[in-house]
Amino acid sequence: MRHRDAAAVCAAVCLAVLGALAIPYLVTNPESVAVYYRAPLAGVRFAGVLTLLVLLALVLGYAGRVDRTVLAAVIVVLGGYAFLITVWWAVTLSPHVAMELSTADEFAYHRWLLVGLTLLVPLAGLWYARSVRRATRTRAVEA
């Protein structure tokens, strides 16, 4: 049952990442957000797509359509890539771009909030993998 708790935490973290990505669209104009989210290679929007794929994989796992060990690997790998892309974006983003997004200071730390949230996705995936491993061991011992 612990793997369901870990999956629920992972889903909540994915929803938090997607919500944090959507906040600038709700607060300021889309043109400013486009400049804010623009980055070399793959932007932070791609990290949002990866997070959405993790969330969809969790839904499929909950429905029993995906093996739990495969699901754990998908969460860790896609979540890890989303984290690395977000770190790359946050480091390469010019600080004045974030400050131009709004006149208030609410976006001064928004990129670092996204980095922290995307870090939680693979960490929750590791917790899920650990709980699945324990459940598999327990079933093997009982058999």
Side-chain angles (χ1 to χ4, degrees):
M1 194 63 177
R2 286 190 57 121
H3 60 275
R4 289 198 183 251
D5 296 339
V9 168
C10 189
V13 169
C14 288
L15 289 173
V17 169
L18 295 174
L21 283 169
I23 286 174
Y25 288 105
L26 301 173
V27 176
T28 188
N29 61 6
E31 294 83 20
S32 298
V33 178
V35 172
Y36 179 61
Y37 281 151
R38 191 178 308 141
L41 299 174
V44 74
R45 292 178 189 164
F46 186 63
V49 170
L50 292 175
T51 305
L52 183 62
L53 289 175
V54 168
L55 190 60
L56 291 174
L58 283 164
V59 169
L60 289 174
Y62 185 77
R65 304 278 186 202
V66 179
D67 182 49
R68 291 186 296 201
T69 55
V70 172
L71 179 59
V74 166
I75 295 169
V76 172
V77 171
L78 292 182
Y81 280 132
F83 169 68
L84 292 175
I85 289 169
T86 307
V87 168
W88 176 262
W89 167 76
V91 170
T92 60
L93 181 69
S94 176
H96 77 278
V97 172
M99 296 312 289
E100 288 176 5
L101 188 62
S102 176
T103 55
D105 290 335
E106 66 260 7
F107 289 103
Y109 301 103
H110 179 258
R111 61 183 166 166
W112 303 115
L113 172 71
L114 281 173
V115 168
L117 286 173
T118 55
L119 174 62
L120 293 177
V121 175
L123 290 178
L126 289 172
W127 179 32
Y128 180 78
R130 184 176 178 210
S131 65
V132 167
R133 184 176 174 207
R134 283 186 177 176
T136 305
R137 269 196 215 159
T138 304
R139 272 189 254 132
V141 170
E142 291 173 356

